[in-house]
Amino acid sequence: MRHLISIEDLDREMLTTILDTTQQLLPIAERRIKSAPTLRGLVVCNLFLEDSTRTRISFDIAAKRLSAEVINFSGKGSSVSKGESFKDTALTLAAMGVDAVVVRSGSSGAPVQLANYLDVPVLNAGDGWHQHPTQALLDVFTMRQHLGQLDGRHLAVVGDVLHSRVARSLIQTAKLSGMEVTLVAPPTLLPASVENWGVRVARDLDAVLPEVDAVELLRVQRERMHRAFFPTTREYAAEWGLDARRLELLKPDAIVLHPGPMNRGVEISADVADADRAVITEQVTNGIAVRMACLYLMLAGRTEGDHRE
Ligand code: NCD
């Protein structure tokens, strides 16, 4: 694996390798000293040009648990806010000798561009509406933990599909795992291209819930909405939100996922967010191990015979 930019670049075997590696790395978090020397001497740069809490911290912890050095670089407070071009930022990082770059950007395509400028691995931590591969991998890993073999299982993805890079990556990853996918969303929050995605589209959430093994709720991305996509938050919650009544419609072993940050009371009610079958905090924990696996698979070979040794 050279870069991790889009789930489209993975085949089923690579996906299985990432998920199995995640499983092997998970116990490191249980140790008293939560680190392994695997990436000692390597430098990972976290280039975050768009707001993020959990993904940034998760990549930071993941690299540190493998003993890499981490440089955190955000748009605010750096030369990017002085108008430095993306290319110059990239070349500056390369000149400083970083071994991998994790990039989050509001612009779809920024990680691909970065990969063209750099000859070190680039990991996409979310670009515009395009992709968020590690989020999808941690979602599928969490589903695999709860549901076992995912072939033939059924996932519903509910909400703001239009603005969601999580949805785009997750649908591809779930399908690669053999899952069936149904999208439930207001028609205004579905992209026109959805017809070519190989998924079922439904409008009635109550009718879909009894059929599925997992539901991923998407955050209503208000910051990306510059006009009204639905009448009011109350009406959105009534039609597309998961509340305690709807939770009862799910199969007994079905689980509820959310990538965070949540809008409690909009796409998910507060009691559902705190319910036993909501695995949202497990997703966060698993996210660190998934990112460790990705860093490991892309970088581990580089420490051997390296000039730093
Ligand atoms: C997601 C993101 O930023 O794409 N969050 C995350 O990475 N945990 C989803 C979102 O912001 O809605």
Side-chain angles (χ1 to χ4, degrees):
M1 219 164 71
R2 174 101 182 91
H3 302 291
L4 181 62
I5 290 176
S6 166
I7 297 294
E8 271 169 30
D9 304 333
L10 302 182
D11 58 22
R12 184 153 168 148
E13 199 185 321
M14 289 158 95
L15 172 62
T16 307
T17 304
I18 296 171
L19 300 181
D20 290 348
T21 308
T22 302
Q23 188 65 50
Q24 284 164 14
L25 294 172
L26 208 52
I28 294 180
E30 308 292 322
R31 295 187 195 159
R32 196 175 57 81
I33 295 171
K34 298 183 177 58
S35 69
T38 325
L39 300 183
R40 190 161 50 208
L42 296 183
V43 180
V44 175
C45 176
N46 285 335
L47 175 60
F48 276 70
L49 304 174
E50 192 195 55
D51 292 347
S52 169
T53 313
R54 73 205 72 213
T55 306
R56 183 173 51 78
I57 294 172
S58 182
F59 266 111
D60 193 5
I61 296 175
K64 286 177 178 155
R65 287 209 175 141
L66 294 174
S67 306
E69 286 168 45
V70 181
I71 303 170
N72 282 306
F73 185 125
S74 65
K76 289 174 202 130
S78 76
S79 294
V80 174
S81 58
K82 296 182 191 163
E84 183 172 60
S85 76
F86 194 50
K87 181 170 182 178
D88 287 327
T89 304
L91 295 179
T92 304
L93 296 177
M96 287 175 177
V98 300
D99 296 288
V101 180
V102 176
V103 59
R104 153 77 56 111
S105 168
S107 311
S108 302
V112 178
Q113 233 184 338
L114 198 62
N116 290 335
Y117 298 140
L118 298 175
D119 60 3
V120 296
V122 172
L123 290 91
N124 183 1
D127 63 329
W129 301 6
H130 175 227
Q131 282 274 321
H132 193 353
T134 56
Q135 178 68 48
L137 292 166
L138 75 89
D139 293 342
V140 168
F141 180 81
T142 307
M143 288 191 262
R144 198 176 78 157
Q145 262 186 337
H146 282 266
L147 306 171
Q149 182 55 257
L150 294 178
D151 276 293
R153 296 290 205 149
H154 193 163
L155 166 69
V157 178
V158 183
D160 185 359
V161 178
L162 178 66
H163 301 104
S164 178
R165 52 192 174 213
V166 172
R168 284 171 181 77
S169 290
L170 176 61
I171 291 162
Q172 290 168 355
T173 316
K175 286 177 61 189
L176 204 53
S177 313
M179 295 185 89
E180 210 183 308
V181 181
T182 299
L183 306 184
V184 192
T188 49
L189 289 176
L190 281 170
S193 61
V194 76
E195 291 165 15
N196 310 320
W197 288 9
V199 295
R200 193 159 73 94
V201 177
R203 259 206 82 144
D204 183 1
L205 184 55
D206 286 4
V208 170
L209 291 173
E211 298 173 9
V212 300
D213 302 294
V215 190
E216 173 122 353
L217 302 162
L218 300 171
R219 183 174 64 86
V220 173
Q221 308 234 335
R222 291 182 231 233
E223 78 281 16
R224 298 191 210 275
M225 293 184 190
H226 305 295
R227 61 192 170 90
F229 285 86
F230 49 85
T232 63
T233 302
R234 263 179 61 188
E235 281 172 74
Y236 182 92
E239 231 181 305
W240 317 105
L242 192 65
D243 57 13
R245 178 190 68 80
R246 288 200 165 116
L247 196 67
E248 295 300 312
L249 300 175
L250 285 167
K251 293 181 197 167
D253 62 345
I255 56 169
V256 176
L257 301 99
H258 192 303
M262 291 184 273
N263 292 309
R264 282 180 187 240
V266 185
E267 68 271 0
I268 187 165
S269 69
D271 41 3
V272 172
D274 299 327
D276 283 347
R277 60 165 86 202
V279 296
I280 300 158
T281 52
E282 289 171 46
Q283 287 173 270
V284 176
T285 303
N286 290 338
I288 296 173
V290 161
R291 289 166 180 129
M292 287 167 74
C294 294
L295 287 168
Y296 169 78
L297 291 168
M298 293 166 82
L299 287 173
R302 297 195 168 222
T303 51
E304 283 150 32
D306 199 282
H307 61 277
R308 284 186 197 79
E309 298 261 299

